Amino acid sequence: MAIRILTDSTSDFTPEEAKQAGIALVPLHVIFDQEEYLDGVTLNKEEFYQKLESTELLPQTSQPSPNEFLSHFEDAKEAGDDLIVITVSSKLSGTCQSALLAKDICEYNRIYIVDSLSVTLGLKCLTQYALFLKEAGKNAEQIVASLEEAKHRLKLFAVVDTLKYLKKGGRLSGTAALAGTLLNIKPIIKVEEGLVIMAAKSRGRNNAYGKIIELMTEEGAPDFSLPYQIGYTGVPDTLDAFCNTIQSSFPLPFTPLTGIGCTVGVHAGPGACGIAYFSKQ
């Protein structure tokens, strides 16, 4: 009896990374101008940002259907395997609900569904932690119990480089966006108990990076012995300065980089960068 691990495409594993790690991905749907794509399958990150910059209307994202989980669930049931499913925050998407419905249809009690209360880099970290525990020889129940505890120590901070997409999405008024652009305001967002919220604002990119260090210090020292991720939207041309700022305060053993996909990218736009990690307490 094996342990299988499945997550959704908002974890921002590339198909190659997922294959190498031995995990399955269920894609969310992205709709551009009434044309529907599968996140990471029929639309990769590079194509997504090209389309995002050339369209007037923001794309929409929608959750996978229960049927898209069901084929994975039926395979695990047939093999008699345990299946741990780690989804994007239920407060941001109906993906977790689709997985729960699929479990009801499948009628197999060896399926464990974990609501990550996170997204993108945070969801990737939690999934990597599940892999770490599996490799350490933990059984499915032990892995799930550890994930349920650790997800409340999961931190994610990001700097948004442009206010254009927050304005397009109705999360910022036109007046506020204009004033913010003129003043070079960079919003800092964080994920807290499943929701993306505004954590702070800074003038200029470097000040914003410094503010993230302050927030990381306030929220408890990072535990870099556990999985962590640094990520970016669009192209990684703002990453060097961001990584240098992190390294100067919290020397990293190495720098794992992830391109952030459509779920966060649709609101942040290109040029954003962020970090996700587990705090020690």
Side-chain angles (χ1 to χ4, degrees):
M1 185 173 67
I3 297 173
R4 303 185 185 200
I5 295 174
L6 179 150
T7 186
D8 62 67
S9 64
T10 72
S11 60
D12 290 325
F13 282 93
T14 64
E16 297 76 25
E17 286 174 333
K19 185 177 179 182
Q20 190 175 358
I23 60 172
L25 294 176
V26 172
L28 271 72
H29 299 237
V30 190
I31 301 146
F32 269 103
D33 301 322
Q34 299 181 327
E35 192 168 350
E36 191 166 314
Y37 301 88
L38 292 176
D39 180 23
V41 179
T42 57
L43 184 72
N44 66 31
K45 294 181 180 85
E46 292 78 14
E47 292 164 336
F48 168 76
Y49 285 104
Q50 285 166 9
K51 283 181 171 293
L52 184 67
E53 292 189 62
S54 64
T55 187
E56 275 307 306
L57 287 173
L58 277 187
Q60 296 173 301
T61 58
S62 64
Q63 72 230 39
S65 69
N67 273 341
E68 288 170 273
F69 284 98
L70 194 56
S71 59
H72 295 280
F73 292 8
E74 296 285 6
D75 280 352
K77 181 180 181 180
E78 192 175 327
D81 290 342
D82 290 327
L83 176 61
I84 299 169
V85 183
I86 310 166
T87 73
V88 59
S89 170
S90 60
K91 298 177 184 177
L92 299 175
S93 167
T95 301
C96 188
Q97 187 59 35
S98 287
L100 289 165
L101 287 169
K103 181 181 176 179
D104 286 345
I105 296 165
C106 187
E107 296 183 330
Y108 182 53
N109 64 3
R110 306 298 298 171
I111 297 168
Y112 305 85
I113 296 169
V114 178
D115 175 359
S116 72
L117 295 181
S118 196
V119 66
T120 185
L121 308 176
L123 177 53
K124 189 173 191 178
C125 287
L126 198 66
T127 305
Q128 288 175 323
Y129 185 43
L131 288 165
F132 169 80
L133 293 167
K134 177 186 169 183
E135 285 165 17
K138 304 294 184 185
N139 65 33
E141 287 89 351
Q142 290 169 327
I143 293 171
V144 170
S146 294
L147 296 180
E148 290 291 350
E149 181 276 325
K151 74 184 188 184
H152 298 289
R153 294 187 285 115
L154 196 52
K155 310 292 180 185
L156 194 164
F157 296 102
V159 177
V160 177
D161 194 52
T162 171
L163 304 178
K164 175 181 173 183
Y165 299 93
L166 290 170
K167 174 181 171 285
K168 272 189 176 184
R171 291 166 186 250
L172 201 62
S173 71
T175 309
L178 177 61
T181 301
L182 291 172
L183 293 169
N184 198 20
I185 297 295
K186 305 295 181 188
I188 297 159
I189 58 173
K190 71 173 180 175
V191 177
E192 189 168 86
E193 288 303 308
L195 291 171
V196 179
I197 63 171
M198 191 83 78
K201 295 175 189 171
S202 279
R203 286 188 72 172
R205 207 181 274 159
N206 289 338
N207 286 337
Y209 298 162
K211 186 65 183 173
I212 282 187
I213 298 298
E214 284 179 38
L215 291 166
M216 289 173 71
T217 305
E218 286 168 15
E219 301 230 355
D223 184 352
F224 290 127
S225 69
L226 295 179
Y228 60 93
Q229 286 291 326
I230 288 175
Y232 60 92
T233 60
V235 292
D237 54 3
T238 59
L239 263 184
D240 282 352
F242 181 67
C243 289
N244 289 341
T245 304
I246 301 289
Q247 284 279 20
S248 65
S249 297
F250 303 106
L252 305 175
F254 60 100
T255 309
L257 299 179
T258 290
I260 294 171
C262 62
T263 314
V264 170
V266 67
H267 301 297
C273 48
I275 184 168
Y277 60 92
F278 293 94
S279 66
K280 287 182 179 174
Q281 71 268 19

